[in-house]
Amino acid sequence: LLLLLLSIIIILLLLIIIIIIIIHYIENGKSSQISPLTLLAERPFWNVKLDDSALWNRLQHVLDRECNPILRQLDTARGAAGAGLQKGPGIGLQSLGPISEVKESFPKDIQDFLQSMHFREYPLIIDQSRLCSEEAPLLLLAIKSKECNIRNREAIRETWGSTGLVTGEAGRGGVVHRVFLLGRQDRSPQSCPLSNDHLAEESMKYGDILQWDFRDTFYNLTLKDVLFWPWVLQHCPHARFIFKGDDDVFVRTPALLDVLQQAEQQSKARGRNLDFVIGDVINDAFPIRQVDEKYYIPQDFYAGKYPPYMGGGGVVYSGSLVMQLNEVSKRVHLFPIDDVFLGMCLYKLGIVPRSHPGFLTFDFPKEEANNPCSYFSILLVHKRSPEETLSLWNVLKHIQVDCLKQTSDIPRRNTFFLQKE
Ligand SMILES: *[C@@H]1O[C@H](CO)[C@@H](O)[C@H](O)[C@H]1NC(C)=O
C-alpha cells in the first residue's frame, strides 16, 4: 500500500511539473513567424517574472500576451477583444491609446515620452526615394543627425562618409551610400539661425537627407530606427550592410569595408545566412538610477536588467536583418534609449550582437591617445568634432605607411589591417 501511495505521489508531482512547463510555454510563447529553434533559445527577459512595479514592463507584458498566437486564439474563442488585434502588422500597438497613467513623479522628458509612446507613424518631410535606385550598396551609412548640425554633416561628407565606390584599406572595398536621419529640431534663432528651407536645399545639393515630422529630442531617437527600417525595405532592400551611428563619431570606413567583405566571404564559405551585428556590446547593464544623469530611467518606469546592447556611437548589421528587425519592433514598446531598444529587438529575435574591439565608444585608453598610429587599430571612435574629423582624415592618409612599420606597440584590435600583418 505504501508503495502504491508513493508511486501516486510521484506521478502527481510529474504531472504538476509538466503543467508548469506548459503554462510557462504559453506565457512566453512567441509569434508564429519565429522558428521553434529561436523560440527555445530566447526567453523574454522582461517578463520571466512580471514586475508589477514598473510601467514599461507592465505594458510590454500586455503586448507579449496580445502577440502570443496561443493566447490570442483562446481570446478569440472566448469572443473577447481578441478579434480587434488581428487587424494588421501593428498588432497590439493600435489597441493602446495614450498612456493615461502619466506619473507626476517622472521627469518631464519621460512624461513627454509616455504621451506619444503608442504612436510611431510620422510622415516623411524630406525623402530620398532614389538613393539606391542604381545599385545596391555594400554599405549604407545611416547617420543620426539634427537640423543644426550642419558642420557635422559637412565634415562627414568630406571624410568617412564619402559615397560611391570606396576602396578598402587592404581589400577591394565596395559601393557606399549615405543618409542622415533627422526629425524636426526645436531651435532658437540665436543658437541655430537656419532659414526654413535650408534643409530642403541641402537635400537638393547632396541627396542624403531623410527627415520625419517628429520632434528631434533625445527620447525620440528610437523613432529614427523604427521609421528607418520600413524605409530601407522600400527603397534600399538590397543593401548588404547597414551602419547606424551618430554624427559625432569618426569611422574608418575603408577598414570597415574590409571587415564586411571578410564577413561575407566567411558566411558564404559556411553556406549560412549572415546574421551579422557588431559594435561595442554592453552586457548585464542595469538602468541608471541617478536622477541628474543623461540616461536616467526611473525604477517605476523600467525594472530589471537591460538585454545585451551596443554602445551608441555606431553599430553595423547585415541588411538581411532589416526585415526581421522591422517585424519584431512592432512587438516591442518604444523605449526612450534607442540603443537599448535595438538590443531588445535583437534579443527577441534570438540574435546575439558580437563585440568588435575596433569600436571605441569610450575613446582610446590614455597611453594610446597621443599616438596617431593608434587609429589604424580601430574602426570607430567616439567622439570627434567636425574639425577633428577633417584634420584626422588628412593626417591618417599621410602617416599610414609609417604607422605600418610600428604597429608592434599598438594593441591588436583584430581589424583586417592588423590581421594582415
Ligand atoms: C516626440 O515627437 C512627438 C511628435 O513631434 C512629440 O509629440 C513628442 O512630445 C516627442 N517626444 C519627446 C519625448 O520629446
Side-chain angles (χ1 to χ4, degrees):
L1 195 73
L2 204 72
L3 216 71
L4 193 72
L5 239 128
L6 211 73
S7 50
I8 287 177
I9 288 174
I10 289 174
I11 289 172
L12 268 176
L13 270 175
L14 272 175
L15 260 173
I16 289 172
I17 290 173
I18 289 172
I19 287 173
I20 288 176
I21 290 175
I22 290 175
I23 287 177
H24 187 81
Y25 173 82
I26 291 182
E27 282 283 315
N28 297 332
K30 280 291 136 47
S31 102
S32 48
Q33 287 177 359
I34 293 168
S35 78
L37 257 180
T38 40
L39 192 73
L40 284 177
E42 69 174 334
R43 254 173 300 119
F45 57 95
W46 51 71
N47 71 351
V48 168
K49 231 196 215 154
L50 175 61
D51 195 323
D52 252 338
S53 62
L55 181 54
W56 192 93
N57 304 58
R58 228 158 46 206
L59 292 169
Q60 185 59 42
H61 188 77
V62 173
L63 187 56
D64 282 341
R65 291 181 68 98
E66 283 178 5
C67 297
N68 181 311
I70 301 167
L71 289 179
R72 231 166 28 156
Q73 237 134 55
L74 289 179
D75 279 352
T76 329
R78 276 197 231 110
L85 294 171
Q86 289 162 10
K87 259 185 217 137
I91 288 176
L93 286 169
Q94 280 94 343
S95 65
L96 188 89
I99 318 285
S100 49
E101 186 187 349
V102 175
K103 280 213 176 130
E104 295 287 310
S105 64
F106 286 152
K108 173 83 175 58
D109 291 341
I110 296 266
Q111 289 185 26
D112 282 353
F113 174 81
L114 282 168
Q115 292 283 3
S116 53
M117 171 180 176
H118 63 291
F119 196 70
R120 43 173 96 177
E121 272 157 44
Y122 295 96
L124 264 172
I125 309 174
I126 300 179
D127 196 359
Q128 304 297 335
S129 52
R130 293 213 306 271
L131 188 82
C132 296
S133 59
E134 269 161 35
E135 49 195 337
L138 171 62
L139 177 63
L140 172 60
L141 301 169
I143 304 150
K144 293 179 282 172
S145 187
K146 282 182 157 193
E147 286 182 30
C148 298
N149 296 1
I150 301 169
R151 284 186 315 131
N152 297 57
R153 290 195 291 280
E154 270 167 3
I156 290 170
R157 288 185 188 112
E158 282 176 37
T159 57
W160 59 265
S162 67
T163 56
L165 187 62
V166 175
T167 14
E169 195 164 76
R172 69 193 144 93
V175 174
V176 177
H177 288 337
R178 170 192 70 226
V179 273
F180 293 101
L181 313 178
L182 296 92
R184 264 186 311 98
Q185 190 167 5
D186 308 331
R187 45 177 216 252
S188 69
Q190 289 84 34
S191 66
C192 177
L194 269 187
S195 74
N196 275 340
D197 35 56
H198 176 94
L199 215 58
E201 283 163 20
E202 206 180 309
S203 164
M204 290 278 274
K205 193 162 168 196
Y206 300 105
D208 60 3
I209 303 284
L210 272 185
Q211 187 185 29
W212 287 275
D213 190 11
F214 63 82
R215 283 180 61 214
D216 207 335
T217 57
F218 179 59
Y219 284 165
N220 260 349
L221 285 178
T222 309
L223 287 173
K224 293 188 182 178
D225 289 278
V226 299
L227 291 166
F228 176 61
W229 290 328
W231 185 89
V232 175
L233 290 178
Q234 195 181 349
H235 296 297
C236 208
H238 302 298
R240 277 140 71 195
F241 292 95
I242 314 273
F243 165 88
K244 192 209 80 169
D246 294 339
D247 65 357
D248 60 354
V249 297
F250 183 81
V251 184
R252 293 205 324 113
T253 313
L256 177 60
L257 294 178
D258 292 339
V259 171
L260 300 181
Q261 292 273 15
Q262 230 184 14
E264 241 180 10
Q265 271 160 22
Q266 276 172 9
S267 86
K268 244 185 229 145
R270 290 193 199 119
R272 263 200 278 143
N273 223 359
L274 188 55
D275 283 345
F276 181 86
V277 187
I278 57 169
D280 180 10
V281 178
I282 301 166
N283 285 304
D284 301 316
F286 278 89
I288 289 173
R289 305 296 192 195
Q290 281 94 358
V291 182
D292 45 358
E293 290 279 338
K294 183 180 177 191
Y295 294 100
Y296 169 63
I297 292 292
Q299 176 78 47
D300 45 3
F301 177 76
Y302 179 89
K305 205 161 75 167
Y306 288 148
Y309 70 95
M310 287 157 293
V315 303
V316 180
Y317 48 85
S318 42
S320 55
L321 279 182
V322 175
M323 196 187 288
Q324 298 175 59
L325 283 169
N326 187 47
E327 278 310 309
V328 85
S329 71
K330 295 167 188 165
R331 297 175 174 79
V332 183
H333 274 297
L334 294 181
F335 194 78
I337 302 173
D338 59 338
D339 310 336
V340 175
F341 180 79
L342 178 61
M344 288 170 166
C345 292
L346 290 170
Y347 192 96
K348 267 210 160 206
L349 288 172
I351 294 170
V352 184
R354 273 192 299 153
S355 223
H356 192 293
F359 284 72
L360 296 192
T361 321
F362 303 104
D363 220 316
F364 287 103
K366 233 205 207 117
E367 61 282 5
E368 284 173 66
N370 293 324
N371 182 357
C373 287
S374 311
Y375 283 89
F376 290 100
S377 74
I378 60 135
L379 296 176
L380 173 147
V381 61
H382 184 250
K383 72 192 241 175
R384 294 292 180 268
S385 70
E387 292 71 31
E388 286 170 323
T389 297
L390 286 165
S391 75
L392 256 174
W393 191 257
N394 283 323
V395 169
L396 294 187
K397 238 190 303 188
H398 291 114
I399 60 171
Q400 181 167 357
V401 178
D402 290 335
C403 287
L404 254 167
K405 292 178 197 143
Q406 53 150 295
T407 44
S408 51
D409 22 312
I410 298 172
R412 302 169 70 88
R413 286 204 179 82
N414 187 31
T415 64
F416 191 80
F417 177 79
L418 289 176
Q419 280 172 17
K420 291 275 295 192
E421 285 302 286

